[in-house]
């Protein structure tokens, strides 16, 4: 569970039950600073003399607000729309694409007006009938560490569990899934786990659960009938990368139950970065060893209109061939969503 150093409450947020519940959770913790705003300008309440220190203080800050604009962002290729429950994450993953998407907002923000958000989701569902509409709950966040006091995932899972024309999915690098195991999900929520080799986790994924704990949690949700999958991202090409990713997939094959109700899904994303992200990463993690040499990459325009540096075609082809072959040979009841 994420225990913040400070809680910043936006103007009017206390109108919502979630905000009151969060404060009730931490009311006896004298180590947490509580800041009530009379406007929604809160960045000055997060200390830091430079980006390095401000980033780390932001990662210890919880902002409670409300989603004012209820226009949902699209979320290709994993879903039709983002479900805006939480933004930001307690993890310090050096490569994270949120260094671009949320570069000036690395703090964790929860939207307390969950009822409004789910009502808007229903409108999007109705607009696309009779087609099924898919929502992604972790496009700009990892919602698991704040779930014990937001209950946003619980409310969303129950909402989608009653809706045959909608599906919900989210991904996490954490393992605290106990509160989700007994919910009536009716197979309409897919829980995915971001996994990687031990080398990548040790080198780049700070303040996250170990790979073993993520895998243990994945088995728990699969055993209670959730659709379940794995996001292997980002894939790095480094010495012995094939051997290490093979070992990871082999370990996964060995622990998966034989009687999965749904095919286990795989989403594979190779490492890529933007110049904006690179510049920010180098300030926030000045000693990072990320492979961000433009001479070794190919420039490509992304879906959001900005360019990014991806592996050259030869490497991407090798990554695709490797994972398609490995997953096909090691797993029976599976579905590869994409390898990019």
């Amino acid at each position: 569970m994420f225990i913040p150093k400070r809680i910043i409450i936006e103007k009017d947020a206390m109108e919502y039950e979630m905000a009151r519940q969060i404060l009730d959770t931490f009311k006896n913790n004298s180590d947490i600073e509580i800041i009530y705003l009379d406007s929604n300008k809160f960045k000055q309440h997060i200390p830091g003399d430079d980006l390095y220190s401000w980033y780390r203080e932001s990662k210890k800050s919880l902002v409670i607000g409300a989603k004012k604009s209820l226009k949902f962002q699209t979320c290709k290729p994993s879903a039709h729309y983002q479900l805006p429950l939480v933004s930001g994450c307690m993890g310090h993953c050096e490569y994270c694409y949120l260094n671009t998407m949320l570069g000036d907002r690395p703090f964790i923000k929860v939207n307390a007006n969950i009822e409004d958000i789910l009502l808007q989701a229903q409108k999007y569902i109705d607009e696309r009938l009779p087609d099924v509409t898919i929502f992604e709950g972790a496009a700009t966040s990892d919602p698991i560490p704040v779930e014990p006091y937001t209950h946003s995932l619980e409310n969303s899972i129950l909402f989608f569990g009653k809706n045959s024309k909608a599906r919900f999915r989210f991904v996490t690098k954490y393992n605290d899934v106990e509160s989700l195991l007994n919910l009536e999900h009716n197979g309409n929520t897919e829980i995915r786990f971001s996994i990687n080799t031990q080398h990548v986790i040790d080198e780049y994924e700070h303040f996250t659960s170990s790979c073993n704990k993520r895998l243990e949690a994945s088995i728990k949700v699969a055993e209670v009938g959730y659709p379940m999958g794995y996001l292997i991202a980002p894939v790095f090409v480094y010495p012995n990368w094939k051997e290490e990713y093979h070992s990871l997939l082999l370990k996964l094959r060995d622990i998966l139950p034989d009687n999965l109700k749904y095919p286990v899904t795989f989403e594979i994303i190779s490492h890529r970065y933007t110049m904006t992200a690179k510049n920010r990463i180098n300030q926030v993690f000045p000693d990072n060893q990320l492979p961000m040499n433009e001479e070794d990459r190919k420039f490509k325009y992304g879906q959001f209109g900005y360019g990014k540096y991806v592996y050259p075609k030869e490497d991407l082809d090798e990554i695709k061939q490797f994972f398609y072959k490995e997953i096909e040979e090691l797993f029976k009841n599976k579905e590869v969503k994409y390898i990019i």
Side-chain angles (χ1 to χ4, degrees), residues 50-53 55-56 92 94 203 206 277-290 292:
D50 52 25
L51 183 59
Y52 179 92
S53 56
Y55 173 92
R56 282 157 177 76
H92 290 214
E94 296 181 8
E203 189 74 21
H206 316 300
K278 177 179 177 178
N279 292 335
R280 185 168 290 270
I281 289 166
N282 284 337
Q283 293 179 70
V284 174
F285 300 103
D287 299 321
N288 79 82
Q289 298 298 313
L290 286 162
M292 296 188 294

Side-chain angles (χ1 to χ4, degrees), residues 30 33 70 96 111 118 123 181 202 269 272 275 296:
S30 59
E33 180 184 12
L70 290 174
C96 185
N111 290 320
L118 294 178
K123 292 179 182 178
L181 298 181
D202 291 344
I269 303 176
R272 66 272 320 278
M275 285 306 297
D296 299 329

Side-chain angles (χ1 to χ4, degrees), residues 309-324:
Y309 289 91
V310 302
Y311 279 114
K313 185 177 184 302
E314 317 85 75
D315 288 339
L316 288 177
D317 287 345
E318 192 171 6
I319 289 170
K320 290 179 181 179
Q321 291 169 9
F322 170 79
F323 279 101
Y324 274 126

Side-chain angles (χ1 to χ4, degrees), residues 150-277:
T150 65
H151 307 289
S152 292
L153 291 174
E154 177 183 345
N155 282 300
S156 300
I157 290 168
L158 292 174
F159 169 81
F160 287 104
K162 299 173 183 176
N163 204 316
S164 63
K165 290 297 183 179
R167 299 292 182 271
F168 179 49
R169 63 202 313 259
F170 66 91
V171 63
T172 184
K173 286 188 173 83
Y174 297 91
N175 63 299
D176 187 7
V177 297
E178 299 298 328
S179 65
L180 309 180
L181 298 181
N182 296 320
L183 301 179
E184 292 188 26
H185 56 81
N186 293 320
N188 291 348
T189 291
E190 180 186 16
I191 302 179
R192 297 121 68 216
F193 292 83
S194 178
I195 60 174
N196 221 309
T197 65
Q198 198 60 50
H199 166 79
V200 171
I201 292 174
D202 291 344
E203 189 74 21
Y204 307 124
E205 296 185 1
H206 316 300
F207 301 104
T208 63
S209 296
S210 69
C211 187
N212 284 341
K213 287 187 176 181
R214 299 179 209 179
L215 294 179
E216 290 170 6
S218 73
I219 301 306
K220 290 179 182 179
V221 301
E223 288 177 340
V224 296
Y226 278 102
M228 187 272 295
Y230 298 99
L231 174 65
I232 304 178
V235 172
F236 287 94
V237 174
Y238 59 91
N240 299 320
W241 70 272
K242 288 185 179 180
E243 290 82 358
E244 294 193 13
Y245 281 106
H246 171 74
S247 296
L248 175 66
L249 292 169
L250 198 61
K251 177 189 288 187
L252 180 56
R253 192 276 311 272
D254 291 343
I255 67 171
L256 279 174
D258 293 328
N259 57 341
L260 287 177
K261 187 173 182 180
Y262 300 97
V264 60
T265 62
F266 289 93
E267 298 161 271
I268 318 291
I269 303 176
S270 58
H271 178 243
R272 66 272 320 278
Y273 65 91
T274 66
M275 285 306 297
T276 300

